Amino acid sequence: MFQYEKRLQFPVNIKEPNPKLAQVIMSQFGGPDGEVGASMRYLSQRFSMTDKRVAGLLTDIGCEELSHVELVCTIIHQLTKNLTPEQIEQAGLEKYYVDHTLGIWPQAAGGTPFTSAEFQVNGDPITDLSEDLAAEQKARNTYDNILRLIKDNDVAEPIRFLRERELVHYQRFGEALRMVTDQLDSKNYYAYNPSFDIRK
Amino acid sequence: MEQMVDMNYRNKLIKEISVLSFAVYDLNLFLDTHPHDMEARAYFAEYNKALIQKEKEFAMRYNPLMQTYCDGNKDWCWNTAPLPWEGGCR
């Protein structure tokens, strides 16, 4: 089960609204490499992860990704708070505004709604961990792209924190993949995990 | 009100909680893949102890950050405390 902690993982105190930047950062909420997809990916993959140490790691990282969902949403909320209709139109936010006002809804920067097709639960431990490594790199790269567009340090600081967490998760998933691979027999040259065929 | 005059200490305390909690959580991930690292385990124990102490102090002075620290005998402030996304954690 889960328990809520009433604080952010990293402080967000943005003073200047910036609806144009908000539309870009929105991708890390509901985009192809965003935080909703990350948390759903890891929290869903746990059930078929045969190594319980790695299932525990997926739980811990999946929970952190939920904190990142909250962080990204806070950034978007503070960047769009109290906008006037004129500011909304000037920034090109009117198409989002007509459906969601200034609420926070998971979509990619280009407007595509969040979908579970953004991530996979293959059910094979090595396949899933390989996806997780790629996911962390993709998310890190998206944060790098976002950082090039940010001039306000109040926004850059939490985004830099989120970017650094992708690096740490990539490292931990790399170790997890090695742990699972080491459990295979030495004749398994192709490093697949026959978890479906040798169920206990 | 205590909260009004004591905002600086509240912010200082929440920052300390953030720092300690981050250290504890990052050590948690490290220990998931390095369970036999005794140095990391000692750090974990030290920082987690300090974190719990600060969280208790915060709950006593201001509002509980987790249900674990809610005191049903005092005023119910779980859902009336400042929201994290509205500047509740400076």
Side-chain angles (χ1 to χ4, degrees):
Chain A
M1 67 169 283
F2 296 94
Q3 193 185 359
Y4 184 60
E5 194 165 344
K6 206 162 190 165
R7 60 179 185 84
L8 300 176
Q9 198 193 8
F10 191 91
V12 180
N13 294 295
I14 297 165
K15 292 162 214 90
E16 288 294 317
N18 187 338
K20 246 187 135 67
L21 193 55
Q23 289 172 85
V24 170
I25 293 174
M26 207 170 272
S27 242
Q28 285 302 72
F29 180 29
D33 304 307
E35 301 290 357
V36 174
S39 56
M40 292 303 108
R41 174 186 296 111
Y42 306 143
L43 293 175
S44 306
Q45 284 178 354
R46 297 180 294 162
F47 302 96
S48 45
M49 189 51 68
T50 43
D51 186 315
K52 71 175 174 192
R53 299 169 299 175
V54 180
L57 181 72
L58 283 169
T59 307
D60 293 338
I61 296 182
C63 286
E64 185 182 358
E65 304 293 6
L66 288 173
S67 318
H68 295 177
V69 170
E70 188 179 40
L71 265 181
V72 170
C73 290
T74 298
I75 295 170
I76 302 165
H77 171 63
Q78 294 187 4
L79 284 172
T80 56
K81 208 178 162 184
N82 299 327
L83 291 177
T84 63
E86 290 72 28
Q87 286 173 311
I88 289 168
E89 275 208 298
Q90 269 170 15
L93 192 66
E94 69 277 7
K95 288 184 184 133
Y96 179 89
Y97 160 81
V98 76
D99 290 328
H100 311 293
T101 326
L102 294 176
I104 313 290
W105 187 69
Q107 66 163 43
T112 313
F114 174 74
T115 154
S116 58
E118 311 290 20
F119 67 88
Q120 169 65 311
V121 180
N122 177 279
D124 176 271
I126 288 180
T127 312
D128 280 343
L129 283 167
S130 302
E131 156 149 340
D132 301 346
L133 284 163
E136 294 295 336
Q137 287 294 351
K138 289 189 284 181
R140 195 265 310 143
N141 199 62
T142 309
Y143 282 124
D144 277 331
N145 291 345
I146 290 171
L147 279 167
R148 290 188 199 102
L149 303 174
I150 300 179
K151 284 160 195 81
D152 180 353
N153 201 44
D154 287 347
V155 187
E157 276 186 3
I159 295 287
R160 276 190 214 110
F161 171 81
L162 288 162
R163 177 192 175 276
E164 282 165 22
R165 298 310 295 156
E166 311 298 341
L167 300 177
V168 173
H169 294 171
Y170 180 78
Q171 177 70 27
R172 297 285 95 88
F173 280 134
E175 290 154 1
L177 179 60
R178 194 167 310 147
M179 281 154 71
V180 173
T181 312
D182 284 349
Q183 282 184 329
L184 302 173
D185 75 70
S186 58
K187 288 180 188 155
N188 189 347
Y189 303 115
Y190 301 107
Y192 68 91
N193 193 317
S195 60
F196 187 81
D197 299 311
I198 51 162
R199 278 174 287 182
K200 284 167 200 154
Chain B
M1 281 175 62
E2 192 191 12
Q3 264 124 312
M4 299 293 280
V5 294
D6 216 5
M7 243 4 229
N8 284 340
Y9 190 74
R10 187 188 188 276
N11 293 342
K12 181 178 170 277
L13 201 54
I14 207 154
K15 193 174 177 187
E16 285 171 349
I17 290 172
S18 291
V19 168
L20 286 168
S21 155
F22 178 72
V24 167
Y25 173 73
D26 205 39
L27 282 161
N28 174 351
L29 289 193
F30 180 82
L31 285 166
D32 281 349
T33 54
H34 304 78
H36 306 298
D37 190 313
M38 294 313 284
E39 204 181 344
R41 275 160 62 171
Y43 273 127
F44 181 91
E46 184 189 334
Y47 289 125
N48 205 25
K49 198 176 158 193
L51 172 64
I52 292 166
Q53 201 184 350
K54 293 281 176 191
E55 281 173 334
K56 278 184 183 162
E57 186 189 343
F58 193 90
M60 206 179 65
R61 285 175 183 270
Y62 308 107
N63 55 274
L65 296 172
M66 276 185 294
Q67 207 185 40
T68 311
Y69 302 114
C70 275
D71 181 349
N73 295 319
K74 284 205 298 186
D75 285 348
W76 187 254
C77 60
W78 173 244
N79 62 343
T80 53
L83 292 168
W85 50 92
E86 300 289 7
C89 31
R90 263 167 222 288

